[in-house]
Each structure stands twice: as C-alpha cells, then as structure tokens.
Amino acid sequence: MCGIVGVVGRNDATKIILTGLKRLEYRGYDSAGIYVAGKNNNLLKSTGPIKNLEAKLTPAITGTMGIGHTRWATHGKPTEENAHPHTSEKGELVLVHNGVIENYDELRQTYLSEDTFYGQTDTEIAVHLIAHFKNEGLQTKDAFKKALRLIEGSYAFALVDTQDDTTIYVAKNKSPLLIGLGDGFNVLCSDALAMLDQTSHFVELMDGEMVTLTATDAIIEDAAGQIINRDFYVAELDASDIEKGTYPYYMLKEIDEQPVVMRKIVQKYQNEDGSIAIDPNLLATLENSDRVYIVACGTSNHAGWAAKKFFETLTQLPVEIHLSSEFGYNMPLLSEKPFFIYLSQSGETADSRQVLVKTNELGHPSLTITNVAGSTLSREATYTLLLHAGPEIAVASTKAYTAQIAVMAVLAKALGTKKAILAANEFDLFHELGLIATAMETMINEKELLEELTAEYLTHTRNAFYIGRGNDYYVSMEAALKLKEISYIQAEGFAAGELKHGTIALIEDRTPVIGIITDAATGLHTRGNLQEVRSRGANTLVIATEELAKPDDQILLPTVHPLLTSLLAVVPTQLIAYFATLQRGYDVDKPRNLAKSVTVE
C-alpha cells in the first residue's frame, strides 16, 4: 500500500522525490521520509502527511540521487521510528519498502539476534539483513541478492549504499514497481503518475527481478542473474490529469468527471460502423464458458454485484460474485468451463492477484478490467479491458466504480450480440450510456440540494442505513461503504426486505434510513419497508427515479434504462458521503487507516 520513489542523476533530486511522494500520498499517509545522497547524506522522516515532511526540509538537503517513501502502516505504529527510509545498524545502507515480509521474525532470530532495532517494522529487519551479509565481505549488490533469496513475502525495495551516490538497487516481488527512463537520469516509482513530470517512458518489472539503476543504465536481472532486455512503454497519461485544478478535493473532481468517463468509454469501445470494439478472442472464450466468476474487493466487488443482472440478462450466462480475500482460501466448487473476471481500479490488488495466480495454475481463462494498463493483474490475466477513467486519486473510489459497470455492460452487449441473444439494433448501449452521462450531469448539478439534505439527515447521527431491493440493494452496499469510509458514520447497506428479519431492532428515534427505488417491480415493497422503519422513529429519505417518484420523495433521478440504473443511482450517494465528511470536518481524500491501492493481503 505504501508508495516509493527514487531518482538518480538529477541535481534537483529532493524536489523530484517530494513531488513524487505528494502524487503517491493516496497510497498511505501515516508517515513519510526521504534520503538524499549529498555532502550530508541527508535522511529525514516525519509522521502524518507529506506536508509535515516538506516543512522539515532545508536547502541543505540536496543531491543528485535519493529515495523517498510514504507509508501505510502494517508492522509497527505510525511513529517516526517506524517511518521509512530505514537504515542498517551503522547507517551505511538505506532502504524503502512497499509490501510485507512474512518471515521477518525468523530472519531476525537466525541472523540478527545481536542487532539493535529502533522500530518495529519488517523493513528494518530487511536492511539489517542486507548489512549482515555485506559485513561478511559481500559487495552491496551481492548482499542484497543473498537477502532476497531468503526473504519471503511481498516487496518493492529501493536500496542505497551511502558510500555510493551513483546507484540505487531495486527489487520487486508482488508489489508494484516501475523504472522510468530519462535523458541522463533515471527514476523509480510505485505508480507512473508519480514521475509523469519527469518522463513518460516506463519499464515494467516482473516478480523476482532486480535492477541496478544509475543515471545512464537500468540493468534488469532475473533471480538467476540473467540480464533481461525489456522495451519501455509510453504512459498514456497527462500530468494535468493528476492535478486537482480548482477543486478542493480529488473526490469531488472525480465525481464530476463521471459523465466524461461514460462518453470516453463509448468513444473507446465503439467502431466507426457503430459496432463494439472488443477482442473477438475474448468473446469466443466467454461464449465457450458455462459460468462467469467476478472476483474483486470493496467498491470493485460492489460493481460486480451491480453488473450481475444485466450481464446475465444480456448473455444468458450465470454470474457469481466473490470477495477476493475469501475466494483465494475458500474456493468453491467450480463449473466445468469457468471464466474469471477481475475488477480492480489499480490492477495491483493483492487479494485479487493471489486468486488469479491460483486460477492461472488451474488453466482457467481470465479477464482483468482495470484503470491501469500494464498493471500486474492486467499482465497476468488472459485478457484486459481498460476503464479509460483517468487517474483516480481519492481513496474513496467513485468514477472507477461507474466505469467498471459501464465496461461490463459493453462486454455483455458484445457477447449477447455474438450469441444472437440480442439483435444488433436491440438495446442500443452506446445511446443509453450517452443518456446516463446526461443524467449524471443533472444529478451533479444538484449539489446544493444534496448538501442541504445531508446536513438535515446526517450531521448529528452516529449511524445510518441504506436500503433497496435487487440492484438498489447493491447500490445501497456501495453507498454505505462510501459514507462509512470517509465520514466515519457507521453506515450499512441492507436488502430492504431483510430489515424485519433482525436489523430493524437497530432503528431508534431519528435514525437515518435512505431508501433507493429504481425498480418498478420492487419499488412499492421498498416503500412499505420505509414505512415500517418510519413508524419506529426513523428519519427516512428517498432516492427514486422520476417515473416511480412520490410527491414527498426528496431526491429524483432522471429515468434511464432499467438495466443501468446503478450507474445513476450511486451518484447522489457519492455526493452525500462527500458533504457528510465536509460537515464533520474530516479530510475527504485521506480517510484514516485507509490507502488507495491495497497491495498486501
């Protein structure tokens, strides 16, 4: 989850590292640190966000090479002692790390029983281990290699020898890491967006590889020491995409970008003749499958639920939705010809990857739907479809959720047409997505109303409930997650009909219950459930489509295709979460204890 950056061969190394860390702060903001090789061999750490580290910097901290880290705490509390970079006992080696070392205690007991440690992190053990082998007479690179052979777990490492200001040693296993190629300099980063202002040319690293990085070379070796030659790719991102511009928070910017994302998906997946641009091999493989398994975490898992009905309707393929963290260790009995779809904004989600590794071993075909080309899940799956949503920086996912649903709809439409379940002109998806984009704009323009309703219903509450049936229930799950993860209101999403099977016991006077109604078949039932909680003192708020609305409903949604209502119904709930957080005085983009890209299991 942490973010690491590094540069070698630039006079302004400190500024480059600090800028890179700011762009990676979504990956963790418990603490931060920087090491710059110069006359003073400067190492600086701070707790809290990057701005605290920036405040400590002085003009004396300068040099041509350095590494930096922003932390999401796994081992050890978020203290300055546990902040990265970590050093060896005598300070000759400096290391930053993203990942989790599983056998850290065994390594400490076997090799480092007499060492003194200043913090409680697995990373400090790793740098001590490298120094242990260096003290036995090995060169730094060879000591690093020997340590890597012993370390078990996930890691993206950047190692510096303080006696050498020309080289950074880099290694990767499971955690994401890229090398960026410049003119007379090179960089490393957890995510390309960290270094877009320096270069657009990046080299992907594979598990088990190590890199010797200098200003002029990036020498990649595999675990056996063989040199690997790999071409760079050009990152299709604009540096302006990762700036907030006039927005106070990334989350608000990303909510507002959703109509544009819908239109971009139409543009990217539509051929000139109006047909859908999907790899025919992917469609053929799907057509030959007997069941689809959607595997994802958090918001992406909720997107899978939102896509389930329309995917089954349009393709006549049964769909199962599974949590990655559960599926990998409790795999159900699979069908004879399963097809796996992995939903992940970053393409680096560790829980999903461990499932993909297992399904690859079983020989099952797979598709990753992600926002990041060249990400681990993209590389290791059989097929990839991109979200084309642009960088999503806020920890609370918004536009990636709606983009995942929309791309799933594109895939379902293409497969349904291929299987002749749909006539070519039946269910004009691209037209419907255009209507969705316009409807999203309508809801986004209701910010003033939504802010007022949020203040009325959620300002003083400690808990809240979203309810709905069918797809409205699935949207309720996502709406509750958004509210709880950034405003810290204890929010839950429930199937409306299940309230009276236990949950209604939680209803107290003025408890907010928000009902979502977009389905004509179940709308009246949900209204009945709202009346049940209202009679027990609940403070109810209704989000309903215009065609199903009643005079007292507070939030009205433009009518869109019934298979795609999840794309629209979620938008006001995103804004409700945003305003609830603002009204409570919290940081919208950086909720406590969370990070954007979950790269450890």
Side-chain angles (χ1 to χ4, degrees):
M1 258 114 65
C2 308
I4 67 174
V5 295
V7 60
V8 55
R10 286 293 300 265
N11 290 326
D12 53 348
T14 303
K15 179 181 177 181
I16 292 171
I17 293 168
L18 186 66
T19 300
L21 289 179
K22 288 179 179 179
R23 292 177 172 177
L24 290 182
E25 195 168 17
Y26 70 90
R27 301 178 72 92
Y29 30 86
D30 288 332
S31 63
I34 187 172
Y35 168 82
V36 179
K39 292 181 180 179
N40 301 316
N41 279 332
N42 302 292
L43 191 152
L44 198 62
K45 304 181 186 184
S46 70
T47 57
I50 305 297
K51 64 182 180 181
N52 294 350
L53 177 68
E54 186 176 17
K56 285 187 170 184
L57 291 173
T58 68
I61 301 177
T62 183
T64 60
M65 182 267 280
I67 52 178
H69 186 276
T70 182
R71 182 175 186 239
W72 187 85
T74 53
H75 291 73
K77 295 180 179 180
T79 63
E80 195 166 298
E81 291 80 10
N82 289 326
H84 299 220
H86 285 287
T87 66
S88 54
E89 194 166 21
K90 297 179 181 178
E92 73 273 29
L93 298 180
V94 184
L95 183 72
V96 292
H97 169 219
N98 171 30
V100 172
I101 298 173
E102 296 169 358
N103 62 334
Y104 70 95
D105 195 49
E106 176 187 337
L107 294 172
R108 179 175 57 190
Q109 293 181 36
T110 304
Y111 298 97
L112 310 170
S113 60
E114 297 182 2
D115 281 28
T116 299
F117 296 93
Y118 298 96
Q120 297 81 44
T121 71
D122 51 346
T123 307
E124 190 177 5
I125 289 169
V127 71
H128 277 232
L129 182 67
I130 300 165
H132 173 81
F133 295 132
K134 189 173 187 292
N135 292 335
E136 288 184 340
L138 294 178
Q139 296 297 312
T140 300
K141 178 180 176 181
D142 294 326
F144 190 29
K145 281 185 173 181
K146 186 170 182 179
L148 292 175
R149 288 194 291 269
L150 296 172
I151 290 172
E152 299 173 4
S154 59
Y155 55 77
F157 284 134
L159 173 72
V160 171
D161 187 325
T162 59
Q163 301 305 305
D164 179 4
D165 64 359
T166 66
T167 307
I168 304 175
Y169 299 100
V170 178
K172 174 200 180 309
N173 187 56
K174 298 182 181 179
S175 297
L177 195 61
L178 299 171
I179 298 298
L181 305 178
D183 184 7
F185 71 96
N186 288 309
V187 298
L188 64 99
C189 50
S190 297
D191 190 321
L193 64 84
M195 290 293 177
L196 278 178
D197 60 334
Q198 300 300 314
T199 181
S200 60
H201 294 177
F202 293 90
V203 178
E204 300 165 0
L205 300 184
M206 307 302 175
D207 287 352
E209 292 181 342
M210 177 181 152
V211 184
T212 304
L213 193 69
T214 65
T216 56
D217 289 304
I219 302 172
I220 306 173
E221 301 176 38
D222 64 16
Q226 298 297 312
I227 303 295
I228 304 295
N229 294 312
R230 182 174 299 127
D231 291 336
F232 65 81
Y233 74 92
V234 178
E236 297 179 2
L237 293 172
D238 190 307
S240 63
D241 291 339
I242 61 177
E243 303 299 333
K244 284 186 292 192
T246 60
Y247 283 91
Y249 291 97
Y250 281 110
M251 183 181 180
L252 187 61
K253 174 177 182 281
E254 290 157 9
I255 291 171
D256 281 6
E257 287 173 343
Q258 289 175 111
V260 174
V261 173
M262 294 299 105
R263 295 181 178 118
K264 190 169 185 180
I265 287 170
V266 171
Q267 176 190 6
K268 291 292 186 178
Y269 285 103
Q270 186 174 31
N271 293 316
E272 290 185 4
D273 62 0
S275 61
I276 297 179
I278 294 284
D279 183 354
N281 294 323
L282 166 57
L283 295 178
T285 304
L286 257 174
E287 187 177 22
N288 190 49
S289 302
D290 62 2
R291 187 173 295 265
V292 171
Y293 296 82
I294 297 177
V295 181
C297 305
T299 287
S300 295
N301 183 267
H302 294 164
W305 281 108
K308 174 179 168 66
K309 181 177 179 179
F310 71 64
F311 202 93
E312 291 182 334
T313 300
L314 299 178
T315 68
Q316 295 300 293
L317 261 178
V319 175
E320 294 185 14
I321 316 298
H322 292 273
L323 288 167
S324 308
S325 55
E326 288 295 314
F327 193 98
Y329 299 98
N330 298 281
M331 189 175 292
L333 183 64
L334 301 178
S335 64
E336 290 186 6
K337 294 183 290 184
F339 186 92
F340 285 85
I341 297 178
Y342 295 90
L343 300 180
S344 170
Q345 188 280 141
S346 67
E348 301 292 349
T349 310
D351 290 315
S352 293
R353 190 195 179 221
Q354 57 99 1
V355 180
L356 176 57
V357 168
K358 292 180 180 180
T359 56
N360 279 346
E361 290 172 353
L362 294 171
H364 301 314
S366 57
L367 163 70
T368 290
I369 298 179
T370 183
N371 210 20
V372 184
S375 57
T376 302
L377 288 172
S378 173
R379 292 197 311 267
E380 296 182 356
T382 317
Y383 305 99
T384 295
L385 293 176
L386 295 178
L387 299 179
H388 300 293
E392 189 178 66
I393 308 299
V395 168
S397 179
T398 52
K399 64 178 180 176
Y401 170 83
T402 49
Q404 286 169 343
I405 297 170
V407 172
M408 285 287 292
V410 171
L411 179 62
K413 164 68 175 176
L415 182 59
T417 302
K418 177 175 173 54
K419 295 175 70 174
I421 294 167
L422 298 169
N425 60 351
E426 186 180 355
F427 183 50
D428 187 347
L429 175 63
F430 293 131
H431 173 70
E432 297 296 342
L433 288 178
L435 295 178
I436 291 282
T438 301
M440 283 178 165
E441 289 172 338
T442 299
M443 294 314 305
I444 287 168
N445 289 334
E446 294 288 344
K447 288 188 180 76
E448 185 175 345
L449 169 65
L450 292 166
E451 185 174 13
E452 291 173 356
L453 289 170
T454 302
E456 177 183 350
Y457 282 84
L458 297 173
T459 297
H460 302 296
T461 188
R462 64 180 175 84
N463 55 16
F465 300 102
Y466 276 93
I467 65 170
R469 292 171 181 252
N471 263 33
D472 294 337
Y473 164 43
Y474 305 142
V475 173
S476 293
M477 293 161 52
E478 173 59 15
L481 176 60
K482 287 284 103 48
L483 186 58
K484 77 177 78 171
E485 70 179 327
I486 62 173
S487 76
Y488 317 138
I489 294 171
Q490 177 61 48
E492 302 298 337
F494 288 106
E498 290 298 298
L499 283 173
K500 54 185 171 289
H501 295 287
T503 307
I504 202 168
L506 298 175
I507 300 300
E508 301 172 346
D509 187 47
R510 305 291 296 172
T511 300
V513 178
I514 304 172
I516 301 176
I517 300 173
T518 70
D519 185 353
T522 63
L524 290 178
H525 294 293
T526 299
R527 289 191 184 279
N529 300 129
L530 285 167
Q531 184 57 48
E532 290 168 354
V533 296
R534 191 179 299 123
S535 68
R536 287 158 175 81
N539 198 15
T540 60
L541 185 153
V542 178
I543 302 172
T545 55
E546 290 174 343
E547 64 179 354
L548 300 177
K550 300 293 184 182
D552 293 335
D553 292 347
Q554 296 93 331
I555 300 173
L556 302 185
L557 305 170
T559 298
V560 296
H561 196 285
L563 288 178
L564 300 176
T565 57
S566 298
L567 286 168
L568 181 60
V570 77
V571 174
T573 73
Q574 295 169 343
L575 287 165
I576 287 171
Y578 173 82
F579 288 122
T581 306
L582 281 186
Q583 290 163 8
R584 288 170 177 246
Y586 299 129
D587 190 326
V588 172
D589 289 339
K590 302 169 187 174
R592 64 192 181 206
N593 302 331
L594 295 177
K596 180 69 174 177
S597 182
V598 184
T599 57
V600 295
E601 288 184 40

